[in-house]
Amino acid sequence: KAGVTQTPRYLIKTRGQQVTLSCSPISGHRSVSWYQQTPGQGLQFLFEYFSETQRNKGNFPGRFSGRQFSNSRSEMNVSTLELGDSALYLCASSRTGTGLSGANVLTFGAGSRLTVL
Amino acid sequence: DQQVKQNSPSLSVQEGRISILNCDYTNSMFDYFLWYKKYPAEGPTFLISISSIKDKNEDGRFTVFLNKSAKHLSLHIVPSQPGDSAVYFCAASAPDSGAGSYQLTFGKGTKLSVIP
C-alpha cells in the first residue's frame, strides 16, 4: 500500500514569507502528526490531528498551524518565516493515534525540507 | 530539558560484530519506547518497540533492552551489516493524557556506520 506522501519535498523561502506543506496519510489512517527535525534539536513534536480536530500540540509559537481535511489529508502552515524555521518537516500517520501498539506506531513520510534565506 | 538522550552522536562497528546503541530518559511517566532508523533523504522507519512492562524484546537481529530502574534502554544489532548504516533514533511516549492522543519524544539520534 502507498506510504505517507509529503509535498513539496524541497522548497526555499525568504524571511517573512509563509509556507504551506501537505501530507497524505496511509489509506485508513486517521491520525496525522507533524514533527520538525533540526540538527540541533532533533525531532520535535508540532501537533497531531484526528478527524479534523487538533488533539495535541507541541511547544511551538502560534506561527505554526495546521489543519486536517475530511479525507485525513493534512496541511501545516508556517507564517512570517524566520531563519530558524529551516528544517526537515516530517509528517507521520497512524490508525487512531491512541495507545501504542504494533498496529499504531507512527509511519513517517520522507519529509519536506524547508530552507529559509 | 531533554527528556530522551542519546549521548553518542556516532558509532562505528565492523561488519558481523554487535552494535549497541544506548538511550537514557528522565521522564518516569514514559511507558513505551521505540527505535526508528533513518536513511538520508528518507523519513524515519519504525524498527522495534518495547513496553515498560517488559525488559526485553527481540525481532530477528534486533533486540531492545529496557532497564527501568536506570531509565536506560539499548538496541543491540547482531550481526551488524553494512545496510544497517543509518541514523537511529530512540523515542518514548507517556500514557494518553485523556485527549485521545499521544506524542513521541525523540532523542537526537546516533549515526551508525557498519564497516565492511
Side-chain angles (χ1 to χ4, degrees):
Chain A
K1 58 182 177 182
V4 178
T5 304
Q6 292 189 245
T7 57
R9 289 293 311 276
Y10 303 91
L11 66 165
I12 299 174
K13 294 285 187 178
T14 57
R15 279 180 298 174
Q17 287 187 311
Q18 74 165 17
V19 66
T20 299
L21 308 177
S22 179
C23 172
S24 293
I26 290 173
S27 179
H29 284 193
R30 297 171 62 190
S31 170
V32 173
S33 301
W34 289 88
Y35 288 79
Q36 180 197 63
Q37 185 186 8
T38 58
Q41 298 299 321
L43 279 92
Q44 292 189 292
F45 174 74
L46 280 156
F47 25 65
E48 187 257 352
Y49 287 87
F50 180 82
S51 291
E52 303 177 65
T53 300
Q54 185 183 90
R55 293 193 301 189
N56 203 354
K57 189 177 190 304
N59 189 24
F60 278 83
R63 299 185 298 107
F64 292 81
S65 63
R67 59 177 175 168
Q68 187 181 34
F69 302 95
S70 58
N71 61 358
S72 294
R73 191 177 71 85
S74 177
E75 289 181 347
M76 68 162 283
N77 183 276
V78 188
S79 62
T80 319
L81 285 166
E82 301 176 359
L83 295 179
D85 297 333
S86 295
L88 180 67
Y89 290 88
L90 291 160
C91 168
S93 73
S94 66
R95 289 191 184 279
T96 66
T98 59
L100 276 176
S101 69
N104 268 335
V105 294
L106 298 182
T107 301
F108 283 86
S112 293
R113 182 163 295 281
L114 170 65
T115 301
V116 182
L117 302 177
Chain B
D1 176 35
Q2 206 179 343
Q3 298 185 62
V4 177
K5 296 181 183 179
Q6 293 178 256
N7 292 319
S8 298
S10 63
L11 174 68
S12 289
V13 173
Q14 288 290 128
E15 180 179 4
R17 307 293 283 266
I18 184 172
S19 294
I20 300 176
L21 295 95
N22 294 304
C23 178
D24 296 299
Y25 62 96
T26 58
N27 187 344
S28 57
M29 296 299 292
F30 287 147
D31 68 344
Y32 207 88
F33 304 89
L34 307 90
W35 285 92
Y36 279 82
K37 178 171 72 173
K38 187 179 186 299
Y39 294 117
E42 295 182 14
T45 303
F46 170 71
L47 196 57
I48 192 170
S49 62
I50 187 167
S51 165
S52 59
I53 62 173
K54 296 185 175 182
D55 55 19
K56 177 183 174 182
N57 188 28
E58 259 182 287
D59 184 1
R61 297 187 296 114
F62 302 90
T63 302
V64 56
F65 295 91
L66 175 62
N67 183 333
K68 283 192 296 182
S69 60
K71 292 190 176 69
H72 176 84
L73 67 156
S74 61
L75 173 68
H76 293 209
I77 306 173
V78 185
S80 301
Q81 300 174 353
D84 296 329
S85 296
V87 177
Y88 289 77
F89 291 96
C90 170
S93 174
D96 181 354
S97 62
S101 171
Y102 69 86
Q103 66 185 69
L104 293 180
T105 302
F106 283 85
K108 292 187 178 182
T110 297
K111 183 176 182 180
L112 173 66
S113 300
V114 180
I115 304 162

